[in-house]
């Protein structure tokens, strides 16, 4: 299904944003409701379900925090995320130096955290049961941990030298956090430990001969502005402004040396890319100019470029129940990419007489039926 993703002509997402769309998130409980955050501070909540049952339909916006809302973000919303365990709450962070915790039903902030600098990224653990920490990456090199239970930002992780552009909790271990910075480094932390930092990823895997002294223990030769764990938490993908994507073994910290070729990345802030879920092989979906590049994660092959946006793509999010992809762009549009349906074969033509090359090799049936074996 992923190999046949195409721009869906029958599904529209209601156009409400008047500026670029920086961030999207689909709630993990039902996979039905999607949040979007825009460059003008607006947040919109959509229902992705087709309630009309018509083949052609528009995903409707249910509600929004618009420019006239008293608690709207004053500047660009960079990250939105649903509370991982129910849809009654979501979070948003912005260049206005705040992280807001929203009550979905009233669209009022239940809590607001203030920071000294621009907020680039935040993330809540999808698996945590023992803590309610939101990791926040800001213009400061210190990673902030905000506790939703106490309402305080008590915890700080120190070690980066420049602004923190992306943060991501492990989907496997609830206390493990990955952070990416403009200092070219990616650090893995255990937030229970006083010193915190477990390891700093090294693109050269410790081979000193390949690294000049200042490049030692860097993940990229440039700002690292994108992070994404594979769903089992065993590997971590990173993206940097050196136009490289790297795949790391997250338990050993080793660079797996998968070569994805040149992955153009001119973003001055965090880049929101994503991976497939429940597919074999697994795919990465990476905003690439006005297109989305689709790579196989473990071989590095560029499978296809999804073309449809008119301007820079800022974010994409995967809907695992139906293997669908949604993308947001500077062109103010959210596009739905849906697996192509195979044309039904008319009854009077036997399948055997059809030319076989129409079938994508990924669909080919490897089973033989007992009739053929006679």
């Amino acid at each position: 299904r992923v190999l046949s993703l195409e721009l869906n002509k029958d599904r529209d997402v209601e156009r409400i944003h008047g500026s670029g769309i920086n961030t999207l998130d689909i709630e993990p409980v039902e996979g039905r409701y999607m949040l979007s955050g825009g460059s003008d501070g607006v947040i919109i909540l959509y229902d992705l379900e087709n309630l009309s049952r018509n083949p052609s339909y528009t995903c409707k916006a249910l509600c929004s925090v618009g420019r006239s809302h008293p608690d709207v973000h004053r500047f660009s919303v960079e990250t939105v995320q649903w509370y991982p365990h129910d849809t009654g709450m979501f979070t948003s962070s912005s260049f206005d130096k705040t992280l807001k915790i929203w009550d979905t039903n009233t669209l009022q902030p239940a809590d607001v955290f203030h920071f000294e600098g621009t907020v680039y990224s935040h993330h809540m653990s999808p698996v945590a049961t023992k803590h309610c920490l939101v990791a926040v990456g800001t213009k400061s090199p210190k990673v902030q941990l905000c506790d939703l239970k106490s309402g305080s930002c008590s915890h700080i992780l120190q070690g980066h030298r420049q602004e923190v552009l992306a943060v991501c909790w492990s989907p496997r271990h609830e206390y493990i956090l990955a952070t990416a910075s403009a200092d070219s480094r990616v650090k893995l932390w255990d937030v229970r430990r006083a010193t915190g930092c477990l390891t700093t990823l090294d693109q050269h895997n410790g081979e000193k001969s390949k690294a000049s002294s200042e490049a030692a223990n860097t993940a990229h030769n440039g700002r690292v502005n994108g992070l994404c764990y594979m769903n089992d938490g065993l590997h971590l993908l990173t993206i940097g402004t050196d136009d490289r994507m790297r795949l790391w073994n997250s338990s050993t910290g080793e660079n797996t040396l998968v070569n994805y070729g040149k992955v153009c990345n001119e973003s001055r802030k965090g880049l929101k890319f994503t991976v497939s879920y429940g597919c074999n092989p697994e795919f990465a979906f990476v905003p690439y100019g006005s297109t989305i590049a689709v790579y196989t994660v473990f071989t590095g092959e560029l499978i296809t470029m999804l073309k449809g946006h008119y301007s820079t793509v800022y974010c994409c999010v995967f809907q695992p129940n139906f293997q669908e992809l949604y993308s947001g762009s500077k062109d103010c549009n959210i596009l739905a990419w849906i697996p192509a349906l195979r044309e039904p074969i008319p009854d009077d033509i036997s399948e055997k007489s059809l030319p076989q090359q129409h079938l994508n090799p990924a669909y080919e049936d490897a089973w033989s039926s007992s009739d053929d074996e006679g």
Side-chain angles (χ1 to χ4, degrees), residues 51-175:
L51 299 172
S52 71
R53 299 279 174 259
N54 294 335
S56 294
Y57 72 101
T58 298
C59 301
K60 290 285 184 207
L62 296 180
C63 55
S64 67
V65 181
R67 289 308 311 158
S68 57
H69 191 290
D71 297 298
V72 68
H73 281 291
R74 289 181 302 135
F75 302 128
S76 175
V77 174
E78 291 298 304
T79 313
V80 289
Q81 189 191 0
W82 287 101
Y83 182 63
H85 308 295
D86 71 64
T87 53
M89 194 163 90
F90 67 88
T91 54
S92 62
S93 60
S94 162
F95 279 176
D96 67 9
K97 308 179 184 178
T98 64
L99 163 72
K100 297 188 180 187
I101 317 300
W102 299 85
D103 178 319
T104 311
N105 301 309
T106 63
L107 281 194
Q108 300 298 317
D111 211 344
V112 181
F113 295 90
H114 296 270
F115 302 92
E116 286 172 13
T118 303
V119 183
Y120 289 106
S121 170
H122 79 269
H123 193 231
M124 281 179 287
S125 167
V127 293
T129 54
K130 300 185 185 71
H131 72 75
C132 270
L133 297 172
V134 185
V136 185
T138 71
K139 212 160 183 73
S140 155
K142 297 171 182 162
V143 181
Q144 316 263 346
L145 298 178
C146 299
D147 191 339
L148 295 187
K149 284 201 181 92
S150 67
S152 74
C153 260
S154 51
H155 212 89
I156 286 174
L157 304 174
Q158 300 200 47
H160 281 298
R161 298 173 195 176
Q162 291 182 46
E163 53 197 2
V164 177
L165 299 171
V167 294
C168 191
W169 291 96
S170 161
R172 192 178 190 88
H173 303 289
E174 65 176 289
Y175 294 105

Side-chain angles (χ1 to χ4, degrees), residues 7-265:
L7 188 57
N8 191 296
K9 300 164 194 66
D10 298 319
R11 185 175 323 177
D12 235 346
V13 180
E14 197 174 347
R15 284 169 180 72
I16 294 184
H17 279 286
S19 69
I21 297 157
N22 296 323
T23 170
L24 295 169
D25 192 42
I26 296 174
E27 45 85 16
V29 183
E30 292 179 79
R32 172 173 174 181
Y33 299 105
M34 181 169 74
L35 290 166
S36 63
S39 303
D40 53 2
V42 170
I43 298 169
I44 299 175
L45 196 168
Y46 301 90
D47 185 348
L48 301 179
E49 192 150 305
N50 180 7
L51 299 172
S52 71
R53 299 279 174 259
N54 294 335
S56 294
Y57 72 101
T58 298
C59 301
K60 290 285 184 207
L62 296 180
C63 55
S64 67
V65 181
R67 289 308 311 158
S68 57
H69 191 290
D71 297 298
V72 68
H73 281 291
R74 289 181 302 135
F75 302 128
S76 175
V77 174
E78 291 298 304
T79 313
V80 289
Q81 189 191 0
W82 287 101
Y83 182 63
H85 308 295
D86 71 64
T87 53
M89 194 163 90
F90 67 88
T91 54
S92 62
S93 60
S94 162
F95 279 176
D96 67 9
K97 308 179 184 178
T98 64
L99 163 72
K100 297 188 180 187
I101 317 300
W102 299 85
D103 178 319
T104 311
N105 301 309
T106 63
L107 281 194
Q108 300 298 317
D111 211 344
V112 181
F113 295 90
H114 296 270
F115 302 92
E116 286 172 13
T118 303
V119 183
Y120 289 106
S121 170
H122 79 269
H123 193 231
M124 281 179 287
S125 167
V127 293
T129 54
K130 300 185 185 71
H131 72 75
C132 270
L133 297 172
V134 185
V136 185
T138 71
K139 212 160 183 73
S140 155
K142 297 171 182 162
V143 181
Q144 316 263 346
L145 298 178
C146 299
D147 191 339
L148 295 187
K149 284 201 181 92
S150 67
S152 74
C153 260
S154 51
H155 212 89
I156 286 174
L157 304 174
Q158 300 200 47
H160 281 298
R161 298 173 195 176
Q162 291 182 46
E163 53 197 2
V164 177
L165 299 171
V167 294
C168 191
W169 291 96
S170 161
R172 192 178 190 88
H173 303 289
E174 65 176 289
Y175 294 105
I176 303 297
L177 175 72
T179 60
S181 165
D183 65 9
S184 306
R185 288 174 170 80
V186 172
K187 291 181 178 287
L188 301 182
W189 313 80
D190 180 336
V191 300
R192 292 168 300 185
R193 290 169 41 155
T195 50
C197 189
L198 290 172
T199 183
T200 302
L201 300 183
D202 176 14
Q203 59 182 313
H204 302 294
N205 287 334
E207 290 187 41
K208 293 285 177 276
S209 57
K210 293 184 183 167
S212 63
S213 56
E214 62 273 14
N217 275 18
T218 55
H220 288 266
N221 301 326
R223 300 153 61 88
V224 192
N225 59 350
L227 285 177
C228 189
Y229 271 101
M230 301 306 295
N231 296 292
D232 59 9
L234 297 176
H235 289 87
L236 175 70
L237 274 168
T238 63
I239 276 183
T241 54
D242 55 359
D243 293 339
R244 288 282 176 262
M245 181 159 72
R246 296 206 162 94
L247 181 71
W248 310 82
N249 177 319
S250 48
S251 51
T252 64
E254 189 180 3
N255 179 359
T256 62
L257 305 175
V258 175
N259 180 5
Y260 300 94
K262 184 179 179 183
V263 182
C264 277
N265 171 8

